[in-house]
Amino acid sequence: MKRLDFSVLLGWAIGLAAIAGCAMLEGIRLRFLWQPTAALVVFGGTLGAVLVRCGSDSLRDAMRATFALFFRENNEEMEAESARLAWLARTAHREGARVFEAQAESSQDPLLREAFSMMADYAEPRDVLDKLHRILDEEAERGLGEVATLDAAGGYAPTFGIIGAVLGLIFVLRSIADPAALGAGIATAFVATIYGVGAANLLFFPLAARLRERHRLRLKRRGLLVEALVALAARESPGVIAARLAT
């Protein structure tokens, strides 16, 4: 069972608390920073731009990957996989390649499913390696696409914050005959800029960087798994297979 990782929420809480504390020290009421219109311009506009830039499928994948950041990676899976492959190596020496057929049918991981299927067909280790590398390349492109979606959101958010500020200034200039409301109106207009810059630097860019790092580590673990699967296809000893995953 995956455990929650509160570091993202803690970071957001610290960042928002710092902004709120600065506003209070400057004598700004926090309720003044709550502007639904500005939020609509920034987040609605950013969402629309990301949809145009990346498409709905990429946005859905990015949201799913972002949600996974709230949970810790399960490092015990590699240990379990190491024990499983070592057991398969011993079993294959006794029963032959037919043992891989059941594993291919039951596996949900496309990497394992393809590897076991090829082993059941007595494929050469080099062919197994080439096929698994192609699957890894597809996973790498998919992961980079998820990161690119968040990076795109971080790039668009400040621009829509400026658009929100300009829209607010247009409204203020229409009421220029009322000097008393002019200062408050201008201040309200620039709240959209705070939303845009804050969302980019506290939300989208940090999440993209965290997702990029997790993707890098995941590809590293998947690369070790490929090495172990190729060793299994080459009928190497269980100890050698376990050592590859323990690197």
Side-chain angles (χ1 to χ4, degrees):
M1 183 177 180
K2 291 186 176 182
R3 296 178 298 170
L4 287 172
D5 186 352
F6 295 100
S7 60
V8 176
L9 296 176
L10 180 61
W12 285 344
I14 293 174
L16 291 175
I19 295 173
C22 179
M24 293 176 64
L25 289 174
E26 293 294 330
I28 302 173
R29 295 182 180 181
L30 294 182
R31 64 180 182 181
F32 183 77
L33 296 178
W34 169 239
Q35 300 291 340
T37 304
L40 179 62
V41 171
V42 172
F43 292 102
T46 300
L47 176 61
V50 170
L51 277 173
V52 174
R53 165 67 176 81
C54 303
S56 59
D57 291 341
S58 297
L59 180 60
R60 184 184 63 250
D61 293 341
M63 292 177 64
R64 185 184 299 115
T66 301
F67 179 75
L69 293 177
F70 293 92
F71 297 90
R72 296 183 183 275
E73 292 275 52
N74 189 359
N75 295 325
E76 296 176 356
E77 292 180 357
M78 288 293 288
E79 298 177 4
E81 202 61 59
S82 176
R84 178 190 180 189
L85 295 182
W87 172 81
L88 282 174
R90 288 189 293 268
T91 307
H93 280 299
R94 297 194 307 267
E95 303 179 12
R98 65 178 183 177
V99 71
F100 299 122
E101 295 180 1
Q103 297 295 325
E105 294 175 357
S106 62
S107 180
Q108 301 297 321
D109 188 332
L111 198 68
L112 294 174
R113 184 169 59 248
E114 186 64 32
F116 292 143
S117 178
M118 295 183 71
M119 292 178 202
D121 293 335
Y122 298 94
E124 292 294 328
R126 182 179 297 275
D127 296 333
V128 175
L129 178 62
D130 291 341
K131 181 61 177 180
L132 297 187
H133 273 173
R134 286 196 293 270
I135 296 176
L136 277 186
D137 289 341
E138 294 175 0
E139 293 183 359
E141 291 181 3
R142 191 180 309 116
L144 292 177
E146 296 164 355
V147 174
T149 300
L150 291 177
D151 278 333
Y156 293 133
T159 302
F160 282 101
I162 295 174
I163 292 175
V166 172
L167 291 175
L169 289 175
I170 291 174
F171 176 79
V172 168
L173 292 175
R174 292 176 58 187
S175 307
I176 197 170
D178 185 7
L182 192 60
I186 293 175
T188 302
F190 281 103
V191 171
T193 305
I194 296 176
Y195 282 4
V197 176
N201 293 280
L202 190 59
L203 181 66
F204 298 124
F205 284 146
L207 287 176
R210 190 182 180 99
L211 191 60
R212 185 182 294 107
E213 178 63 16
R214 176 168 290 192
H215 177 60
R216 184 187 67 82
L217 294 176
R218 183 175 185 273
L219 285 180
K220 184 177 181 180
R221 289 195 296 269
R222 300 285 278 178
L224 293 175
L225 180 58
V226 166
E227 292 182 9
L229 288 170
V230 173
L232 181 60
R235 303 295 190 268
E236 295 188 15
S237 68
V240 171
I241 295 172
R244 291 183 182 276
L245 281 176
T247 303

